[in-house]
Amino acid sequence: MTSSARIEGDLREKILTSPDIVLEDADLMRALVAANERAMGANIVDLRGIAMDRLEQRLDRLEETHRSVIAAAYENLSGTNQIHRAILRMLDPIEFEAFLRELGGEVADILRVDAVRLVLESPAGEQDQALNRLGDVLSIAQSGFINDYLTEGRNLPVRQVTLRQMPECDARIYGDKGSYLRSEACLKLDFGEGRQPGLLVFGAEDPHQFTPQHGTDLLAFFAGVFERSMRRWLS
């Protein structure tokens, strides 16, 4: 005569009253399925159990994808808000000197970068006394410097936005700060027909802040607004 263990009365009554408690507990359901497989013996293939395992694995993958999509959407929204705040701050000044100060100060802080530099090309490449008083944000370079800097002297097409990691950033642009900057975003600027190009660069100590794998849409938008702002000062 065989006897089977029975669940204690209170627990059995609770399960019978609220069976959803069992169904919604993933660990408990796995234990029940495993017990059922053991009871069937090793010679019986439980196709339903196999199918359930595969569905569970697929659900886990879908949940992970869902979390990744939400994280990416949140990061994109955060980046968009950051760019919008920086642009609004950049549009406040009504004088060029104040514009450059905001660029190297509040705008840099909002974008969380460690250095901001604006490079303008000039046929002679000379920085006169009037430009010297504008601080270390602005520098003047010879014609052709910007394309050469972006392509690193190679015969490559020049993109509007270039993101890259560097062992250290170029001292010609960043000065002493270049020795501890490890990544940069380079925004090539088009000031209109008949004008030489410009370059806006953001430098970061974090080597992973700007990498070629990152999207460039928001920075391209920022560059477009910056170009239009600069045309006020260049006209």
Side-chain angles (χ1 to χ4, degrees):
M1 185 175 178
T2 61
S3 62
S4 58
R6 292 179 60 86
I7 300 175
E8 294 182 3
D10 292 345
L11 178 57
R12 184 171 183 273
E13 184 65 28
K14 187 174 181 179
I15 293 173
L16 291 175
T17 304
S18 304
D20 291 346
I21 296 176
V22 176
L23 296 175
E24 293 173 359
D25 191 317
D27 293 334
L28 185 55
M29 288 301 298
R30 288 192 196 96
L32 292 174
V33 170
N36 182 59
E37 290 175 353
R38 289 194 299 271
M40 290 189 300
N43 295 327
I44 298 176
V45 177
D46 184 8
L47 296 178
R48 183 179 60 179
I50 294 173
M52 289 296 293
D53 287 341
R54 290 179 178 175
L55 285 174
E56 187 173 325
Q57 292 172 5
R58 184 176 298 177
L59 178 61
D60 289 341
R61 289 195 298 270
L62 287 173
E63 288 179 344
E64 181 63 31
T65 300
H66 180 65
R67 284 192 292 267
S68 299
V69 169
I70 290 177
Y74 177 80
E75 184 177 353
N76 186 61
L77 179 61
S78 177
T80 301
N81 291 336
Q82 192 177 36
I83 291 292
H84 287 171
R85 287 172 53 219
I87 287 173
L88 290 175
R89 188 69 183 187
M90 183 178 67
L91 294 176
D92 281 340
I94 58 175
E95 295 181 354
F96 188 51
E97 189 173 351
F99 174 77
L100 291 180
R101 280 200 306 269
E102 289 294 337
L103 190 62
E106 290 294 328
V107 173
D109 292 341
I110 292 170
L111 295 177
R112 298 175 186 172
V113 295
D114 300 298
V116 178
R117 295 291 184 272
L118 173 62
V119 181
L120 301 179
E121 287 189 350
S122 170
E126 296 176 352
Q127 187 160 333
D128 60 26
Q129 301 262 341
L131 294 177
N132 284 334
R133 66 186 176 84
L134 296 179
D136 60 356
V137 172
L138 177 65
S139 63
I140 304 299
Q142 292 182 345
S143 297
F145 171 82
I146 291 174
N147 282 357
D148 185 67
Y149 182 76
L150 292 176
T151 62
E152 298 179 303
R154 295 173 291 178
N155 185 23
L156 297 172
V158 178
R159 293 169 293 180
Q160 184 186 20
V161 178
T162 300
L163 307 179
R164 59 192 179 189
Q165 296 168 298
M166 311 279 281
E168 65 178 52
C169 290
D170 200 314
R172 292 175 296 174
I173 291 182
Y174 297 101
D176 295 339
K177 282 189 173 183
S179 61
Y180 61 83
L181 299 176
R182 296 294 178 264
S183 65
E184 66 176 0
C186 305
L187 284 58
K188 186 176 181 183
L189 307 171
D190 180 3
F191 297 129
E193 188 176 353
R195 292 184 176 134
Q196 292 191 287
L199 180 68
L200 182 65
V201 289
F202 301 134
E205 295 181 33
D206 182 0
H208 304 293
Q209 185 160 343
F210 300 115
T211 70
Q213 293 77 30
H214 291 158
T216 60
D217 290 349
L218 290 174
L219 288 174
F221 175 71
F222 187 91
V225 176
F226 190 88
E227 289 170 345
R228 288 158 176 79
S229 297
M230 279 294 296
R231 287 170 191 164
R232 293 184 298 167
W233 316 115
L234 297 176
S235 60

